[in-house]
């Protein structure tokens, strides 16, 4: 897949330009599926916050980018649908818009539904994640970002990219997301990792990772 892993959504012109480049044409010509599943695993999220994402009224610009069409793909419903039906929906989409919440919860349902196994086959599809929607594709989430009790301490992501992400760096409403905490997180995770503020993103194409930013970010060796 072509991956655009954001902290706060498509928040500036640089991230938007990277998205359009990955799509290969304007958003107005592309069909999207939005995935709000991660919200259901996080104690801070509510029915209202899930609706705002789906309705394009979230603080993280995703659904409201002028798509030709937007559909809702709720992973919790997929076990009750024929596999061939929802797989056809996914394959027909140009872009998957994946919301934040709890990354461990999202990872669990990506695996449980079988969507995780399908993702590597979607060579022309763009995955745009925000926060947990980005972190779920990495090797490790970090225990401090796992709030879902069902994870039982397991902070493994799907490992479709090889660098973990610390999101919302220095976000005013998240006092624990300061650089000192990112350093401690990186030391716990081990190996290369990135801290991103909400004006920053990683794009990953053919295994090559590039930072797209109009804000603050840091790479940990």
């Amino acid at each position: 897949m072509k991956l655009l892993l954001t902290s706060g959504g498509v928040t500036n012109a640089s991230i938007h330009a990277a998205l359009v480049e990955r799509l290969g044409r304007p958003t107005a010509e592309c069909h999207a599926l939005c995935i709000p599943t991660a919200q259901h695993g996080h104690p801070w999220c509510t029915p209202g916050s899930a609706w705002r994402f789906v309705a394009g009224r979230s603080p993280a610009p995703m659904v409201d980018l002028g798509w030709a069409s937007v559909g809702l793909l709720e992973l919790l419903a997929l076990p009750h649908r024929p596999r061939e039906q929802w797989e056809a929906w996914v394959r027909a989409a140009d872009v998957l818009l994946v919301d934040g919440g709890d990354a461990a919860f999202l990872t669990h349902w990506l695996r449980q539904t079988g969507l995780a196994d399908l993702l590597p086959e979607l060579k022309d599809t763009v995955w745009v994640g925000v926060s947990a929607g980005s972190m779920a594709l990495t090797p490790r989430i970090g225990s401090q970002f796992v709030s879902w009790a069902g994870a039982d301490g397991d902070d493994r992501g799907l490992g479709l990219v090889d660098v973990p992400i610390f999101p919302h760096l220095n976000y005013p409403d998240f006092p624990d997301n300061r650089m000192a905490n990112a350093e401690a997180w990186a030391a716990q995770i081990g190996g290369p990792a990135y801290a991103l503020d909400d004006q920053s993103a990683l794009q990953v194409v053919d295994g090559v990772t590039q930072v797209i930013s109009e804000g603050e970010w840091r790479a940990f060796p």
Side-chain angles (χ1 to χ4, degrees):
M1 297 187 76
K2 304 169 186 178
L3 309 178
L4 186 61
L5 307 180
T6 81
S7 170
V10 183
T11 51
N12 58 54
S14 297
I15 298 175
H16 191 275
L19 170 61
V20 173
E21 183 179 359
R22 300 284 69 76
L23 291 167
R25 56 193 186 281
T27 57
E29 299 176 14
C30 297
H31 300 275
L33 287 177
C34 69
I35 301 176
T37 305
Q39 289 233 14
H40 305 307
H42 200 288
W44 293 357
C45 296
T46 66
S49 63
W51 177 84
R52 285 190 290 274
F53 169 71
V54 173
R57 299 186 183 184
S58 165
M62 295 274 278
V63 173
D64 50 335
L65 296 176
W67 304 103
S69 68
V70 180
L72 172 63
L73 188 72
E74 175 49 72
L75 302 189
L76 299 178
L78 296 193
H80 308 285
R81 292 278 192 173
R83 165 79 184 228
E84 61 271 17
Q85 184 183 59
W86 66 256
E87 183 173 326
W89 296 339
V90 171
R91 289 186 181 276
D94 298 300
V95 59
L96 303 179
L97 308 173
V98 190
D99 198 17
D102 189 281
F105 185 81
L106 175 59
T107 300
H108 170 81
W109 283 104
L110 287 167
R111 291 191 178 110
Q112 191 78 6
T113 58
L115 181 54
D117 297 325
L118 178 62
L119 296 181
E121 299 180 23
L122 305 178
K123 303 299 184 184
D124 297 322
T125 309
V126 180
W127 174 291
V128 185
V130 54
S131 192
S134 298
M135 300 165 76
L137 300 193
T138 69
R140 297 275 306 281
I141 297 162
S143 59
Q144 54 270 68
F145 290 113
V146 177
S147 55
W148 177 50
D152 195 26
D154 186 355
D155 75 333
R156 291 174 300 159
L158 296 183
L160 296 183
V161 296
D162 57 7
V163 286
I165 296 170
F166 182 101
H168 309 302
L169 180 64
N170 290 330
Y171 189 76
D173 293 340
F174 299 159
D176 290 337
N177 287 45
R178 301 295 179 258
M179 187 62 77
N181 300 84
E183 291 170 351
W185 166 87
Q188 176 200 44
I189 290 286
Y194 286 88
L196 305 174
D197 75 356
D198 281 10
Q199 297 297 320
S200 304
L202 298 182
Q203 67 172 6
V204 185
V205 181
D206 296 328
V208 177
T209 301
Q210 179 185 0
V211 178
I212 308 295
S213 180
E214 294 185 13
E216 182 181 5
W217 61 277
R218 180 171 168 185
F220 297 98

